[in-house]
Amino acid sequence: MGEAVELEAGGRTVRLSSPDKIFFPERGFTKLDLARYYLAVGPGILRALRDRPTTLERYPDGVTGESFFQKRAPKNMPDWIPTAHITFPSGRSADEMCPTEAAAVLWAAQYGTLTFHPWPVRRADVDRPDELRIDLDPQPGTDFADAVRAAHELRAVLDEFGGLRGWPKTSGGRGLHVFVPIEPRWTFTQVRRAAIAVGREVERRMPDRVTIKWWKEERGERIFLDYNQTARDRTIASAYSVRPRPHAPVSAPLRWAEVGDAHPLDFDLATMPARFAELGDIHADMDDHAYSLDALLDLARRDERDHGLGDLPYPPEYPKMPGEPKRVQPSRAKRGPA
């Protein structure tokens, strides 16, 4: 596996063992290639992770080996990496790492972290999100081009309801993510309610192309706007994160002018460093903005008052929430008890 090497990041030295271990056999990328990638895009991924409780998606033996999600801060984590105490829907809690330096990303890469999953909160206030995150997820029979069409309509809806601006990125798969920086004034439940309102409005405008139906049997060949990605403890891969697929794709920040021209296959462990060197972090100005959700929450109230559109189902592992409809597949609900 080769002798250990030492890498410098922000004045800290991070030791990388087994640097020649193959992490992506199809492309021949090694652990050292992964670490050097994160060095190359350091300012970008640190902007996406800074002060956020972060779950690590680890592949210690590379993308073809076993993997796991690490929520709790590892016991061997250096004391210079801070943590935040977060509470899960189950009522349990944990301390999660909160990267504040590029060296923290390298340290996680040393232990096989490919993808970083930050919460939409900062460690100063872990119960009030500062990002509204919208996941446009292609369903069977749809593709990235369909997600692009939905993203452009979503952009118009965000602007119409409160003058919100979203920052788009590829998911690293077939979908798109749009992040909106918001004032940290609302709870997870309220932010999720705003996401539902956004989804319903996009669905009204594109009923044959977009759905917010939670049950897969109802989605059809449409883009699913996954409102539950805004629920507590649901996270989305950060910008610049490497995704665990054979060709080593990355979640790539985009300008709106690129949405429609760029393709997810354009961005991987080999190509993103050159793009970053040329353009820098094109989402660097996100932290300069913080939008209000008032207009979207007003829309949610009108939907409920005028159309009877209240809450939608939570994921199955969540406790039953006030106002939530029955958490049962429509086909089973129609059959009734045996």
Side-chain angles (χ1 to χ4, degrees):
M1 296 298 178
E3 294 184 4
V5 298
E6 293 185 341
L7 300 175
E8 299 288 334
R12 295 195 187 274
T13 300
V14 177
R15 183 178 183 274
L16 199 73
S17 64
S18 304
D20 298 332
K21 179 185 284 189
I22 300 295
F23 268 28
F24 291 90
E26 184 175 293
R27 304 289 301 277
F29 295 138
T30 64
K31 181 198 275 193
L32 182 58
D33 292 325
L34 176 71
R36 284 175 171 164
Y37 164 79
Y38 278 128
L39 268 179
V41 300
I45 193 165
L46 186 58
R47 186 268 310 159
L49 300 179
R50 190 187 305 276
D51 283 323
R52 299 190 183 280
T54 300
T55 296
L56 308 179
E57 186 175 358
R58 292 177 55 187
Y59 287 76
D61 295 313
V63 73
T64 58
E66 294 185 0
S67 66
F68 59 96
F69 288 86
Q70 181 147 12
K71 293 185 177 183
R72 299 178 186 276
K75 293 181 179 179
N76 64 337
M77 192 174 72
D79 58 11
W80 51 264
I81 300 178
T83 62
H85 194 73
I86 48 91
T87 302
F88 303 118
S90 65
R92 296 176 180 174
S93 62
D95 294 322
E96 287 204 356
M97 72 176 293
C98 296
T100 56
E101 305 178 37
V105 178
L106 281 189
W107 177 86
Q110 148 66 14
Y111 291 97
T113 300
L114 298 187
T115 308
F116 295 82
H117 297 267
W119 281 48
V121 300
R122 310 278 183 170
R123 61 190 173 110
D125 188 349
V126 296
D127 294 315
R128 296 189 182 274
D130 68 345
E131 287 181 346
L132 170 65
R133 298 175 174 180
I134 301 168
D135 180 11
L136 298 170
D137 185 11
Q139 300 302 289
T142 64
D143 56 20
F144 183 72
D146 296 300
V148 166
R149 283 189 283 269
H152 284 299
E153 192 62 51
L154 168 65
R155 184 188 187 191
V157 169
L158 290 172
D159 182 64
E160 184 174 333
F161 290 91
L164 277 64
R165 175 187 167 192
W167 277 255
K169 68 184 184 69
T170 66
S171 67
R174 300 190 306 136
L176 278 166
H177 301 151
V178 178
F179 285 11
V180 181
I182 60 173
E183 300 168 6
R185 292 198 286 124
W186 296 275
T187 64
F188 277 94
T189 302
Q190 291 171 313
V191 174
R192 179 178 173 275
R193 188 69 171 136
I196 290 173
V198 167
R200 283 181 167 142
E201 185 62 25
V202 177
E203 184 182 51
R204 279 190 283 265
R205 299 181 185 196
M206 305 180 73
D208 296 328
R209 294 186 178 275
V210 173
T211 182
I212 60 167
K213 299 291 187 183
W214 176 247
W215 304 108
K216 291 182 179 180
E217 65 187 35
E218 295 187 301
R219 294 178 191 171
E221 295 184 0
R222 292 180 286 183
I223 296 297
F224 173 47
L225 195 151
D226 189 355
Y227 62 89
N228 269 330
Q229 291 290 34
T230 54
R232 179 185 288 271
D233 195 32
R234 281 298 181 101
T235 56
I236 293 178
S238 77
Y240 302 102
S241 270
V242 178
R243 306 312 309 275
R245 295 180 174 87
H247 58 290
V250 304
S251 181
L254 299 175
R255 299 187 177 109
W256 277 108
E258 296 177 298
V259 177
D261 293 330
H263 190 276
L265 292 177
D266 297 337
F267 311 106
D268 60 31
L269 201 68
T271 62
M272 179 55 82
R275 174 179 167 88
F276 194 90
E278 178 184 358
L279 301 177
D281 178 18
I282 60 173
H283 285 187
D285 62 334
M286 274 188 67
D287 289 345
D288 298 334
H289 302 268
Y291 294 98
S292 171
L293 292 180
D294 287 341
L296 286 179
L297 292 173
D298 285 343
L299 175 62
R301 285 188 283 268
R302 291 198 301 273
D303 277 345
E304 187 161 16
R305 182 192 66 211
D306 299 339
H307 306 291
L309 299 174
D311 204 356
L312 291 173
Y314 274 78
E317 69 273 15
Y318 282 64
K320 185 70 175 177
M321 298 293 288
E324 181 188 0
K326 289 183 178 180
R327 201 181 295 174
V328 59
Q329 291 179 358
S331 58
R332 291 186 178 181
K334 291 175 183 176
R335 286 200 305 267

